[in-house]
Amino acid sequence: MGAQKSIHAGKAKIDINVDLTHKLCQALLVPPAFRHSSNLLSQVVASLCVKHPNLFGNSEKLDVLWDKGLCDSNILIAYRKPRPEWLAQKSFIIQHSVSPEIGVHGFPVDNFSRSGSGSVNLCRFSAGLDLSEPSSSNWSSTTSIKFEHVRPLNDDGRSIIRDLDGFPVTCSGTTHDNMVVLKQESNYAMASDHSFSQLNFQIEQGIPLMSKWLIFNKFKFVASKGIKVGPAFVLASLTGGSIVGDMAPYQAFAIGGLNSVRGYGEGAVGSGRSCLVVNSELTVPMAKSLEGAFFMDCGTDLSSGHHVPGNPALRKGKPGSGFGVGYGLRFNTRMGQFRIDYAINAFQQKTVYFGLGSVTS
């Protein structure tokens, strides 16, 4: 049961979406600690979008987005001032989000097929500037600099400095971490009728403007290749990354889950300073908007789990590496591709996933 409504207020457009059916799918994936709530509003998934195309009369754009999930929320405010096409496009962005940190602090259950709550949630506030460079050939790039304030919370919404095992959840050892992050992201994409190639590089540098602010370098890449073989389509992707310098546990690479190694809960394979994940998938058309899929995923933390402060992976009993195989269905709709996956992990435990979008992100 859901509802959608669009309202025009002058030049601004307001989109409202309330969805009560999403909780039926999420009930299979969200840990019980988040599902059992006496508050009816906690079971509502909703979004609100306000767009103004001409805020001050010079084509300035203002977007205000609010999303509420079963156990998370996100508010994004973006202001864009038009510039000539040959110059970098600037966007001023303010964001506030609250979400459970299951990938690192959650614990595996049911033979690693699900992840339970670790009672650690992250409240993030960030403000900064994005610069999108003009695209040249098949390459595009974005540079951003932003201030981040990260505050861990317990399930009651109170600030914490340690997890349930008594280990620090921040790098500073206080109730919050502050950092200024300079990020460079580059994308390469090339497509034809029978294949496509995609490459994404991300580099983040923590700048210590204050003595206790985090200084680190984090690198991540995603390489994907797709080839059409007759009516079928073969997709393979490789994801990797590493971080050096100061590090809070929540910055670790979480391995396992729908967009990582299927057959495992979120982060149930491992969480380390480094990671390497391989995804492969074969899709075969079954009807006009329906495809069948067969896939195999594997991932590892490259034995870097013990380098994460507090070693949460070892304390939660995560293996550090794993693989999953399975099959699924792909429904192509106007809103995107809706996926249902049935996967089996290395411990012969079965998991069903529901999701929107592609395998890699």
Side-chain angles (χ1 to χ4, degrees):
M1 180 174 62
Q4 295 182 351
K5 182 68 175 179
S6 294
I7 302 173
H8 291 272
K11 294 182 178 181
K13 181 182 178 182
I14 303 175
D15 293 326
I16 303 174
N17 178 36
V18 178
D19 186 3
L20 300 180
T21 60
H22 184 69
K23 68 177 182 179
L24 298 178
C25 294
Q26 287 291 330
L28 297 174
L29 304 177
V30 177
F34 292 100
R35 294 205 304 263
H36 297 160
S37 174
S38 59
N39 186 359
L40 180 60
L41 292 179
S42 67
Q43 301 299 307
V44 176
V45 175
S47 63
L48 173 66
C49 176
V50 180
K51 294 179 178 289
H52 199 297
N54 193 21
L55 186 62
F56 298 117
N58 293 314
S59 299
E60 299 95 341
K61 301 182 185 298
L62 178 67
D63 295 341
V64 180
L65 308 175
W66 172 71
D67 292 300
K68 179 193 174 300
L70 292 180
C71 50
D72 62 335
S73 64
N74 181 63
I75 299 175
L76 175 68
I77 302 174
Y79 170 76
R80 301 173 178 86
K81 188 174 182 179
R83 305 186 73 190
E85 293 183 357
W86 60 86
L87 296 177
Q89 302 301 307
K90 294 192 298 185
S91 300
F92 297 92
I93 297 176
I94 299 175
Q95 187 172 11
H96 180 273
S97 65
V98 179
S99 60
E101 183 48 271
I102 302 176
V104 174
H105 293 283
F107 53 89
V109 294
D110 294 342
N111 281 335
F112 303 91
S113 65
R114 293 191 301 112
S115 292
S117 169
S119 298
V120 177
N121 306 274
L122 293 183
C123 176
R124 293 177 179 265
F125 171 81
S126 64
L129 173 67
D130 281 359
L131 292 174
S132 298
E133 299 292 337
S135 299
S136 59
S137 183
N138 298 318
W139 285 93
S140 62
S141 64
T142 301
T143 302
S144 65
I145 185 168
K146 61 182 177 180
F147 166 78
E148 287 192 20
H149 176 86
V150 182
R151 183 164 58 98
L153 309 172
N154 61 14
D155 291 339
D156 295 326
R158 298 179 181 177
S159 297
I160 57 175
I161 61 176
R162 298 183 182 277
D163 59 18
L164 295 178
D165 298 324
F167 288 85
V169 291
T170 61
C171 180
S172 64
T174 64
T175 58
H176 62 272
D177 284 332
N178 290 327
M179 64 195 87
V180 171
V181 181
L182 177 64
K183 180 178 179 180
Q184 174 70 42
E185 181 172 0
S186 300
N187 289 281
Y188 171 83
M190 184 177 64
S192 65
D193 293 337
H194 301 284
S195 67
F196 83 90
S197 301
Q198 188 171 354
L199 186 61
N200 174 273
F201 287 103
Q202 299 177 25
I203 298 178
E204 297 182 22
Q205 178 65 57
I207 304 175
L209 297 184
M210 302 291 287
S211 60
K212 292 186 178 181
W213 290 16
L214 275 64
I215 176 171
F216 62 89
N217 184 274
K218 187 175 184 178
F219 169 75
K220 181 181 178 181
F221 72 89
V222 180
S224 303
K225 178 69 175 182
I227 301 176
K228 189 174 183 181
V229 182
F233 192 79
V234 179
L235 172 65
S237 66
L238 177 66
T239 303
S242 186
I243 180 172
V244 295
D246 295 337
M247 180 185 185
Y250 55 78
Q251 292 180 299
F253 293 94
I255 307 167
L258 176 60
N259 292 312
S260 181
V261 181
R262 285 163 288 186
Y264 293 82
E266 183 179 354
V269 173
S271 49
R273 275 187 176 262
S274 303
C275 76
L276 194 64
V277 177
V278 179
N279 304 104
S280 59
E281 183 169 296
L282 171 69
T283 56
V284 180
M286 302 175 62
K288 183 178 180 180
S289 300
L290 177 65
E291 297 176 336
F294 303 90
F295 58 83
M296 180 175 67
D297 305 328
C298 59
T300 174
D301 64 4
L302 300 174
S303 300
S304 65
H306 63 283
H307 293 300
V308 177
N311 201 349
L314 176 64
R315 290 187 283 114
K316 306 300 182 181
K318 300 179 181 182
S321 62
F323 68 90
V325 296
Y327 57 88
L329 295 174
R330 308 287 181 262
F331 301 92
N332 297 309
T333 67
R334 294 180 180 178
M335 298 177 61
Q337 188 182 76
F338 180 74
R339 299 156 46 201
I340 301 177
D341 288 335
Y342 178 86
I344 302 176
N345 63 26
F347 300 90
Q348 302 299 310
Q349 184 63 40
K350 306 174 182 62
T351 307
V352 179
Y353 296 97
F354 300 88
L356 282 171
S358 60
V359 174
T360 58
S361 60

